[in-house]
Amino acid sequence: MIDNEYSRMEFRKHRAIRKVTVTEEAFLLDVNGEDAEAYREVEKMVDKLTDTLNECRQVAESRTPFRISQESVLMRMCGGNRTEGRIPDGTEKMG
């Protein structure tokens, strides 16, 4: 049972993420925006994931022959009141 505020928000964030797509350039999260608070929390999570990705890319490149081709973690709206979303080419999409 989810019995504390932190766990409830984590559940709401995970429920808001509807799809994750991995491309050569990015990790793209399709996020439902109906729950505005959860959407904002996913935005914060994306910032943390981007920092982690950058760190992992640096470590992989400096210590191994492997390369991580993805350069960013992006999100786009797939429902709710908001109409914009960050998409892989870096432009803002208005819907």
Side-chain angles (χ1 to χ4, degrees), residues 39-85:
Y39 188 89
R40 285 190 301 275
E41 290 297 315
V42 173
E43 287 178 318
K44 292 177 189 176
M45 184 182 73
V46 165
D47 291 340
K48 290 178 184 178
L49 289 171
T50 299
D51 291 343
T52 301
L53 174 61
N54 291 336
E55 204 170 303
C56 290
R57 289 180 75 233
Q58 290 175 346
V59 170
E61 289 176 14
S62 67
R63 298 183 184 179
T64 73
F66 301 106
R67 298 294 175 261
I68 299 171
S69 65
Q70 292 80 11
E71 295 184 3
S72 56
V73 181
L74 306 168
M75 59 187 286
R76 67 180 168 193
M77 179 66 62
C78 68
N81 296 329
R82 296 179 60 161
T83 57
E84 75 276 0

Side-chain angles (χ1 to χ4, degrees), residues 27-41:
F27 296 93
L28 177 61
L29 283 66
D30 287 332
V31 182
N32 185 300
E34 291 176 4
D35 182 339
E37 185 180 14
Y39 188 89
R40 285 190 301 275
E41 290 297 315

